[in-house]
Amino acid sequence: MSSAVLPRREPIPIAAETYVIQAIHGEGEGPLAVHMNAMVIRGREPVVVDTGTPVDRDSVLEQVFGLVEPEDVRWIFVSHDDVDHYGNMAALMEACPRATIVGSWYLMQRMSAEGPMPSPDRWCWVGDGESFDVGDRLLRAVRPPLYDSPTTRGLLDPVTGVYWASDCFATPVPRATGFVDEIDPDEWAHGFTTFQKWNSPWVEMVDGPRYHAEVERLRALAPRTIATCHGPTIGPAMVDRAFELLHAVPAAQVPPQPGQPVLAEIVAAMQADALAPA
Ligand SMILES: [Fe+2]
Ligand SMILES: [Fe+2]
Protein backbone atom coordinates (compact mmCIF):
# COMPACT_ATOMS: atom_id res chain seq x y z
CA MET A 1 0.00 0.00 0.00
CA SER A 2 1.47 3.39 -0.90
CA SER A 3 1.26 6.41 1.35
CA ALA A 4 -0.70 8.17 -1.39
CA VAL A 5 -3.80 6.05 -0.72
CA LEU A 6 -3.70 6.23 3.07
CA PRO A 7 -6.11 8.77 4.50
CA ARG A 8 -4.53 11.89 5.96
CA ARG A 9 -4.62 12.16 9.73
CA GLU A 10 -4.55 15.09 12.11
CA PRO A 11 -2.30 15.39 15.17
CA ILE A 12 -4.18 14.80 18.41
CA PRO A 13 -3.34 17.06 21.38
CA ILE A 14 -2.89 14.91 24.50
CA ALA A 15 -1.26 17.40 26.91
CA ALA A 16 0.23 20.89 26.85
CA GLU A 17 2.19 21.28 23.60
CA THR A 18 2.19 17.49 23.16
CA TYR A 19 0.63 15.83 20.13
CA VAL A 20 0.17 12.27 18.89
CA ILE A 21 1.00 11.96 15.19
CA GLN A 22 -1.60 9.52 13.97
CA ALA A 23 -1.29 6.65 11.55
CA ILE A 24 -3.23 3.41 11.37
CA HIS A 25 -2.82 0.26 9.29
CA GLY A 26 -5.59 -2.13 8.30
CA GLU A 27 -8.53 0.17 8.98
CA GLY A 28 -11.58 -1.09 7.09
CA GLU A 29 -9.78 -4.24 5.92
CA GLY A 30 -10.76 -6.43 8.87
CA PRO A 31 -12.33 -6.21 12.30
CA LEU A 32 -9.26 -4.60 13.87
CA ALA A 33 -6.55 -2.18 12.81
CA VAL A 34 -3.30 -1.12 14.46
CA HIS A 35 -2.03 2.39 15.02
CA MET A 36 1.51 3.30 13.97
CA ASN A 37 1.74 6.58 15.85
CA ALA A 38 4.55 8.97 16.70
CA MET A 39 4.55 12.07 18.95
CA VAL A 40 5.75 15.67 19.05
CA ILE A 41 6.69 17.65 22.17
CA ARG A 42 6.69 21.32 21.25
CA GLY A 43 8.85 22.72 24.04
CA ARG A 44 11.72 25.20 23.80
CA GLU A 45 13.66 22.61 21.79
CA PRO A 46 11.00 20.61 19.89
CA VAL A 47 11.23 16.82 20.01
CA VAL A 48 9.87 14.23 17.58
CA VAL A 49 9.26 10.96 19.43
CA ASP A 50 9.51 7.92 17.13
CA THR A 51 9.05 8.53 13.44
CA GLY A 52 6.35 6.27 11.96
CA THR A 53 6.53 3.84 9.05
CA PRO A 54 7.86 4.52 5.54
CA VAL A 55 4.41 3.96 4.00
CA ASP A 56 3.02 6.76 6.18
CA ARG A 57 5.89 9.13 5.36
CA ASP A 58 3.90 11.85 3.60
CA SER A 59 1.28 12.02 6.33
CA VAL A 60 3.82 11.85 9.18
CA LEU A 61 5.97 14.65 7.77
CA GLU A 62 2.90 16.76 7.00
CA GLN A 63 1.59 16.37 10.55
CA VAL A 64 4.98 17.00 12.20
CA PHE A 65 5.79 20.05 10.08
CA GLY A 66 2.29 21.42 10.64
CA LEU A 67 3.31 21.66 14.31
CA VAL A 68 6.96 22.66 14.09
CA GLU A 69 9.12 24.07 11.32
CA PRO A 70 11.78 21.62 10.09
CA GLU A 71 14.63 23.94 11.08
CA ASP A 72 13.25 24.18 14.63
CA VAL A 73 13.23 20.41 15.30
CA ARG A 74 16.12 19.76 17.70
CA TRP A 75 15.66 16.16 18.83
CA ILE A 76 14.43 12.94 17.24
CA PHE A 77 13.95 10.27 19.90
CA VAL A 78 13.98 6.74 18.46
CA SER A 79 12.58 4.26 20.97
CA HIS A 80 13.97 1.15 19.26
CA ASP A 81 15.18 -0.36 16.02
CA ASP A 82 11.88 -1.53 14.52
CA VAL A 83 10.92 0.06 11.21
CA ASP A 84 7.59 1.33 12.53
CA HIS A 85 9.64 3.48 14.93
CA TYR A 86 12.65 4.54 12.85
CA GLY A 87 10.99 4.35 9.42
CA ASN A 88 11.14 8.11 8.79
CA MET A 89 14.24 8.88 10.85
CA ALA A 90 16.44 9.45 7.80
CA ALA A 91 13.79 11.61 6.09
CA LEU A 92 13.40 13.73 9.22
CA MET A 93 17.16 14.06 9.68
CA GLU A 94 17.48 15.22 6.09
CA ALA A 95 14.66 17.75 6.48
CA CYS A 96 15.72 19.00 9.93
CA PRO A 97 19.31 20.29 9.78
CA ARG A 98 19.55 21.07 13.53
CA ALA A 99 18.14 17.75 14.74
CA THR A 100 20.03 15.21 16.84
CA ILE A 101 18.95 11.56 17.08
CA VAL A 102 18.43 10.35 20.63
CA GLY A 103 19.37 6.69 20.40
CA SER A 104 21.90 4.43 22.04
CA TRP A 105 25.10 2.63 21.06
CA TYR A 106 23.25 -0.63 20.52
CA LEU A 107 20.46 1.04 18.55
CA MET A 108 23.04 2.60 16.23
CA GLN A 109 24.82 -0.75 15.81
CA ARG A 110 21.66 -2.66 15.03
CA MET A 111 20.40 -0.05 12.58
CA SER A 112 23.70 0.22 10.72
CA ALA A 113 22.81 -2.90 8.70
CA GLU A 114 20.21 -0.74 6.93
CA GLY A 115 22.88 1.41 5.30
CA PRO A 116 24.88 4.52 6.15
CA MET A 117 23.81 6.09 9.42
CA PRO A 118 23.76 9.85 10.10
CA SER A 119 27.14 11.15 11.24
CA PRO A 120 28.08 10.38 14.88
CA ASP A 121 28.00 14.11 15.70
CA ARG A 122 24.27 14.03 15.05
CA TRP A 123 23.64 11.37 17.71
CA CYS A 124 23.09 11.40 21.46
CA TRP A 125 23.19 8.07 23.31
CA VAL A 126 20.66 7.86 26.14
CA GLY A 127 20.09 4.56 27.94
CA ASP A 128 17.39 3.35 30.30
CA GLY A 129 17.12 5.70 33.28
CA GLU A 130 19.20 8.46 31.67
CA SER A 131 17.94 11.93 30.76
CA PHE A 132 18.64 14.58 28.15
CA ASP A 133 18.13 18.32 28.32
CA VAL A 134 15.73 19.90 25.81
CA GLY A 135 16.07 23.46 27.07
CA ASP A 136 13.06 23.77 29.34
CA ARG A 137 12.94 20.24 30.76
CA LEU A 138 14.90 17.03 31.24
CA LEU A 139 13.30 14.18 29.31
CA ARG A 140 13.96 10.77 30.84
CA ALA A 141 14.35 7.52 28.93
CA VAL A 142 12.57 4.70 30.78
CA ARG A 143 12.30 1.19 29.39
CA PRO A 144 8.70 -0.06 29.48
CA PRO A 145 8.03 -3.39 31.21
CA LEU A 146 7.17 -5.09 27.88
CA TYR A 147 9.05 -4.61 24.61
CA ASP A 148 10.25 -6.48 21.53
CA SER A 149 13.77 -5.09 21.08
CA PRO A 150 16.67 -4.89 23.54
CA THR A 151 17.17 -1.25 22.55
CA THR A 152 13.74 -0.12 23.72
CA ARG A 153 13.41 2.95 25.91
CA GLY A 154 10.18 4.88 26.49
CA LEU A 155 10.22 8.60 27.22
CA LEU A 156 8.87 10.45 30.25
CA ASP A 157 8.19 14.19 30.17
CA PRO A 158 8.19 15.47 33.78
CA VAL A 159 6.44 18.71 32.81
CA THR A 160 3.26 17.13 31.39
CA GLY A 161 3.51 13.66 32.92
CA VAL A 162 3.20 12.14 29.45
CA TYR A 163 4.99 8.80 29.04
CA TRP A 164 5.66 7.53 25.52
CA ALA A 165 5.51 3.76 25.96
CA SER A 166 6.84 2.66 22.56
CA ASP A 167 5.17 -0.75 21.87
CA CYS A 168 3.85 -1.17 25.41
CA PHE A 169 0.27 -0.30 26.51
CA ALA A 170 -0.90 -0.87 22.91
CA THR A 171 -4.21 -2.23 21.73
CA PRO A 172 -5.74 -2.84 18.29
CA VAL A 173 -8.89 -0.87 17.49
CA PRO A 174 -11.73 -1.08 14.94
CA ARG A 175 -10.87 2.38 13.56
CA ALA A 176 -8.54 5.28 14.25
CA THR A 177 -9.11 6.19 17.90
CA GLY A 178 -7.68 9.05 19.92
CA PHE A 179 -8.21 7.86 23.49
CA VAL A 180 -8.96 4.48 25.07
CA ASP A 181 -12.15 5.68 26.74
CA GLU A 182 -13.66 5.87 23.24
CA ILE A 183 -13.66 2.06 22.96
CA ASP A 184 -15.53 -0.60 24.91
CA PRO A 185 -13.69 -1.38 28.19
CA ASP A 186 -13.86 -5.15 27.64
CA GLU A 187 -12.59 -4.81 24.08
CA TRP A 188 -9.76 -2.64 25.39
CA ALA A 189 -8.84 -5.24 28.00
CA HIS A 190 -8.90 -8.10 25.48
CA GLY A 191 -6.99 -6.20 22.80
CA PHE A 192 -4.46 -4.84 25.28
CA THR A 193 -3.69 -8.24 26.77
CA THR A 194 -3.48 -9.96 23.40
CA PHE A 195 -1.18 -7.31 21.92
CA GLN A 196 1.19 -7.33 24.90
CA LYS A 197 1.48 -11.10 24.90
CA TRP A 198 1.93 -11.46 21.14
CA ASN A 199 4.55 -8.69 21.09
CA SER A 200 6.44 -9.89 24.18
CA PRO A 201 5.84 -13.67 24.37
CA TRP A 202 8.84 -13.98 26.70
CA VAL A 203 6.69 -12.52 29.48
CA GLU A 204 5.48 -16.05 30.26
CA MET A 205 9.04 -16.99 31.28
CA VAL A 206 9.48 -14.09 33.67
CA ASP A 207 9.45 -14.58 37.40
CA GLY A 208 6.17 -13.09 38.70
CA PRO A 209 7.52 -10.86 41.48
CA ARG A 210 10.29 -9.54 39.22
CA TYR A 211 7.75 -8.67 36.53
CA HIS A 212 5.39 -6.94 38.95
CA ALA A 213 8.31 -4.96 40.40
CA GLU A 214 9.21 -3.77 36.89
CA VAL A 215 5.63 -2.62 36.30
CA GLU A 216 5.71 -0.79 39.62
CA ARG A 217 9.08 0.81 38.73
CA LEU A 218 7.28 2.65 35.94
CA ARG A 219 4.16 3.32 37.96
CA ALA A 220 6.26 4.94 40.71
CA LEU A 221 7.24 7.62 38.20
CA ALA A 222 3.55 8.61 38.22
CA PRO A 223 2.87 9.03 34.50
CA ARG A 224 -0.36 10.99 34.12
CA THR A 225 -0.97 10.17 30.46
CA ILE A 226 0.41 7.21 28.50
CA ALA A 227 0.82 7.44 24.74
CA THR A 228 1.73 4.40 22.68
CA CYS A 229 2.82 3.80 19.12
CA HIS A 230 0.18 1.11 18.60
CA GLY A 231 -2.99 2.25 20.28
CA PRO A 232 -5.13 5.07 21.57
CA THR A 233 -3.72 7.35 24.26
CA ILE A 234 -4.49 6.43 27.88
CA GLY A 235 -5.70 9.58 29.60
CA PRO A 236 -5.36 10.32 33.34
CA ALA A 237 -8.65 8.65 34.31
CA MET A 238 -7.60 5.37 32.67
CA VAL A 239 -3.97 5.08 33.80
CA ASP A 240 -4.73 3.01 36.92
CA ARG A 241 -6.76 0.53 34.85
CA ALA A 242 -3.92 0.33 32.32
CA PHE A 243 -1.46 -0.67 35.04
CA GLU A 244 -3.94 -3.29 36.31
CA LEU A 245 -4.13 -4.73 32.82
CA LEU A 246 -0.34 -4.71 32.50
CA HIS A 247 0.10 -6.59 35.79
CA ALA A 248 -2.36 -9.23 34.55
CA VAL A 249 -0.59 -9.96 31.25
CA PRO A 250 1.62 -12.93 32.27
CA ALA A 251 -1.27 -15.04 33.56
CA ALA A 252 -3.76 -14.07 30.86
CA GLN A 253 -4.99 -16.50 28.22
CA VAL A 254 -4.94 -15.01 24.73
CA PRO A 255 -5.99 -16.42 21.35
CA PRO A 256 -3.37 -17.95 19.06
CA GLN A 257 -2.08 -15.93 16.13
CA PRO A 258 -3.53 -16.82 12.72
CA GLY A 259 -1.70 -19.78 11.24
CA GLN A 260 -1.39 -21.59 7.90
CA PRO A 261 -5.13 -22.56 7.69
CA VAL A 262 -6.03 -18.85 7.74
CA LEU A 263 -3.46 -18.09 5.05
CA ALA A 264 -4.85 -20.96 2.96
CA GLU A 265 -8.33 -19.43 3.23
CA ILE A 266 -6.98 -16.04 2.12
CA VAL A 267 -5.20 -17.57 -0.88
CA ALA A 268 -8.27 -19.62 -1.82
CA ALA A 269 -10.44 -16.50 -1.70
CA MET A 270 -7.95 -14.66 -3.91
CA GLN A 271 -7.95 -17.50 -6.42
CA ALA A 272 -11.76 -17.64 -6.43
CA ASP A 273 -11.88 -13.89 -7.07
CA ALA A 274 -9.42 -14.25 -9.95
CA LEU A 275 -11.56 -16.96 -11.56
CA ALA A 276 -14.87 -15.13 -11.10
CA PRO A 277 -16.37 -13.67 -14.31
CA ALA A 278 -15.76 -9.92 -14.55
FE1 LIG B 1 8.77 -3.09 18.31
FE1 LIG C 1 6.20 -1.07 17.18
Side-chain angles (χ1 to χ4, degrees), residues 80 82 84-85 148 166-167 199 229-230:
H80 66 293
D82 280 344
D84 46 329
H85 300 259
D148 65 1
S166 187
D167 289 339
N199 205 52
C229 180
H230 303 301

Short mmCIF file of all heavy atoms in Angstrom, two decimals, residues 80 82 84-85 148 166-167 199 229-230, ligand 2:
data_model
loop_
_atom_site.label_atom_id
_atom_site.label_comp_id
_atom_site.label_asym_id
_atom_site.label_seq_id
_atom_site.Cartn_x
_atom_site.Cartn_y
_atom_site.Cartn_z
N HIS A 80 13.28 2.41 19.52
CA HIS A 80 13.97 1.15 19.26
C HIS A 80 14.07 0.92 17.76
O HIS A 80 13.52 1.67 16.95
CB HIS A 80 13.34 -0.03 19.99
CG HIS A 80 11.95 -0.42 19.56
ND1 HIS A 80 10.85 0.39 19.77
CD2 HIS A 80 11.47 -1.53 18.96
CE1 HIS A 80 9.76 -0.22 19.33
NE2 HIS A 80 10.11 -1.39 18.82
N ASP A 82 12.90 -0.92 15.38
CA ASP A 82 11.88 -1.53 14.52
C ASP A 82 11.42 -0.47 13.53
O ASP A 82 11.31 0.72 13.88
CB ASP A 82 10.68 -2.03 15.34
CG ASP A 82 10.95 -3.37 16.00
OD1 ASP A 82 11.91 -4.05 15.59
OD2 ASP A 82 10.20 -3.73 16.92
N ASP A 84 8.75 0.47 12.24
CA ASP A 84 7.59 1.33 12.53
C ASP A 84 7.95 2.46 13.50
O ASP A 84 7.14 3.34 13.75
CB ASP A 84 6.42 0.50 13.07
CG ASP A 84 6.81 -0.49 14.14
OD1 ASP A 84 7.94 -1.01 14.10
OD2 ASP A 84 5.99 -0.75 15.04
N HIS A 85 9.19 2.42 14.00
CA HIS A 85 9.64 3.48 14.93
C HIS A 85 10.75 4.35 14.32
O HIS A 85 10.82 5.53 14.60
CB HIS A 85 10.10 2.84 16.24
CG HIS A 85 9.00 2.08 16.91
ND1 HIS A 85 8.27 2.58 17.97
CD2 HIS A 85 8.45 0.87 16.62
CE1 HIS A 85 7.33 1.71 18.30
NE2 HIS A 85 7.42 0.65 17.50
N ASP A 148 9.85 -5.43 22.47
CA ASP A 148 10.25 -6.48 21.53
C ASP A 148 11.64 -6.24 20.95
O ASP A 148 12.03 -6.91 20.00
CB ASP A 148 9.21 -6.65 20.41
CG ASP A 148 9.09 -5.42 19.52
OD1 ASP A 148 9.82 -4.44 19.74
OD2 ASP A 148 8.25 -5.45 18.59
N SER A 166 6.35 3.45 23.68
CA SER A 166 6.84 2.66 22.56
C SER A 166 5.79 1.60 22.20
O SER A 166 4.65 1.94 21.96
CB SER A 166 8.21 2.07 22.87
OG SER A 166 8.76 1.46 21.73
N ASP A 167 6.14 0.29 22.22
CA ASP A 167 5.17 -0.75 21.87
C ASP A 167 4.25 -1.12 23.04
O ASP A 167 3.25 -1.83 22.83
CB ASP A 167 5.90 -2.03 21.44
CG ASP A 167 6.57 -1.91 20.09
OD1 ASP A 167 6.20 -1.03 19.30
OD2 ASP A 167 7.49 -2.71 19.83
N ASN A 199 3.35 -9.49 21.38
CA ASN A 199 4.55 -8.69 21.09
C ASN A 199 5.71 -9.01 22.03
O ASN A 199 6.87 -8.76 21.69
CB ASN A 199 4.23 -7.19 21.18
CG ASN A 199 5.18 -6.36 20.35
OD1 ASN A 199 5.37 -6.63 19.16
ND2 ASN A 199 5.78 -5.35 20.95
N CYS A 229 2.75 3.85 20.58
CA CYS A 229 2.82 3.80 19.12
C CYS A 229 1.60 3.08 18.54
O CYS A 229 1.10 3.46 17.50
CB CYS A 229 4.10 3.09 18.70
SG CYS A 229 4.32 2.96 16.92
N HIS A 230 1.13 2.04 19.23
CA HIS A 230 0.18 1.11 18.60
C HIS A 230 -1.20 1.08 19.25
O HIS A 230 -1.82 0.02 19.32
CB HIS A 230 0.78 -0.29 18.59
CG HIS A 230 2.10 -0.35 17.88
ND1 HIS A 230 2.25 0.01 16.57
CD2 HIS A 230 3.33 -0.70 18.33
CE1 HIS A 230 3.54 -0.12 16.21
NE2 HIS A 230 4.21 -0.54 17.27
FE FE B 2 6.20 -1.07 17.18
#
